[in-house]
């Protein structure tokens, strides 16, 4: 039963992010939350994590995690660990260029909240999509 609850919470946290419902999103994170993001060597806490999410969504206002059809979504038997791999899409606010790539999250849960997270955004594919679309856009002008 704990595993199902964790899977539902993974989907709910992604839905809150998609809706930009930062209050609900933050409620899924424990106060002692520790996170690591792609390319970072230092951990960050809950407040920084929320701020990073907001900034990303300001840059890509229509960004969406496809949480209705994950590529992979699973949890440990006791629900204390989870993993998700999903498509993430978005369009740059400044250039109008879009990306479509993968996003993976590995988390640890305690007392119904995420206490630890490692997220991996395929930034190389994201950059290539944005550059390709920018180049295509420039050629059409």
């Amino acid at each position: 039963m704990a595993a199902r609850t964790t899977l539902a919470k993974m989907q709910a946290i992604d839905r809150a992010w998609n809706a930009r419902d930062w209050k609900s999103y933050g409620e899924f994170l424990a106060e002692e939350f520790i996170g690591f993001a792609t390319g970072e060597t230092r951990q960050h806490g809950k407040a920084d994590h929320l701020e990073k999410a907001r900034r990303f969504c300001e840059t890509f206002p229509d960004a969406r995690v496809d949480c209705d059809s994950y590529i992979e979504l699973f949890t440990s038997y006791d629900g204390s660990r989870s993993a998700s791999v999903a498509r993430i899409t978005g369009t740059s606010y400044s250039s109008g260029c879009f990306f479509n790539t993968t996003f993976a999250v590995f988390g640890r849960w305690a007392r119904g909240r995420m206490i630890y997270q490692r997220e991996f955004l395929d930034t190389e594919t994201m950059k290539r999509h944005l550059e390709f679309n920018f180049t295509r856009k420039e050629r059409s002008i």
Side-chain angles (χ1 to χ4, degrees):
M1 194 60 140
R4 278 187 192 260
T5 302
T6 299
L7 293 176
K9 286 183 180 185
M10 281 298 299
Q11 192 171 45
I13 196 170
D14 285 338
R15 285 195 170 131
W17 187 88
N18 284 344
R20 309 307 186 252
D21 181 353
W22 303 123
K23 182 179 184 298
S24 295
Y25 183 80
E27 288 174 356
F28 287 104
L29 306 175
E31 291 306 315
E32 67 274 18
F33 174 85
I34 295 172
F36 289 89
T38 300
E40 293 182 351
T41 57
R42 294 179 180 250
Q43 68 188 35
H44 59 265
K46 180 177 178 175
D48 287 338
H49 189 77
L50 288 166
E51 183 57 29
K52 288 172 190 290
R54 284 187 191 107
R55 280 198 321 261
F56 186 89
C57 292
E58 286 172 6
T59 304
F60 304 100
D62 66 344
R64 288 280 191 258
V65 174
D66 185 358
C67 57
D68 291 319
S69 57
Y70 287 98
I71 297 168
E72 297 288 343
L73 178 64
F74 53 94
T75 183
S76 59
Y77 180 76
D78 65 358
S80 66
R81 296 178 187 270
S82 62
S84 67
V85 181
R87 301 298 304 169
I88 184 171
T89 59
T91 307
S92 170
Y93 171 75
S94 60
S95 69
C97 297
F98 65 90
F99 69 89
N100 179 344
T101 192
T102 52
F103 176 64
V105 174
F106 301 92
R108 258 188 263 150
W109 298 78
R111 301 170 310 284
R113 295 208 167 131
M114 189 175 281
I115 59 170
Y116 179 86
Q117 176 182 341
R118 284 199 179 263
E119 58 183 49
F120 300 92
L121 176 62
D122 183 352
T123 55
E124 288 304 311
T125 299
M126 183 180 173
K127 284 185 226 176
R128 278 184 282 170
H129 281 192
L130 293 170
E131 288 169 0
F132 173 77
N133 289 308
F134 184 77
T135 303
R136 239 175 71 191
K137 219 173 174 189
E138 288 292 305
R139 285 186 196 151
S140 68
I141 294 178

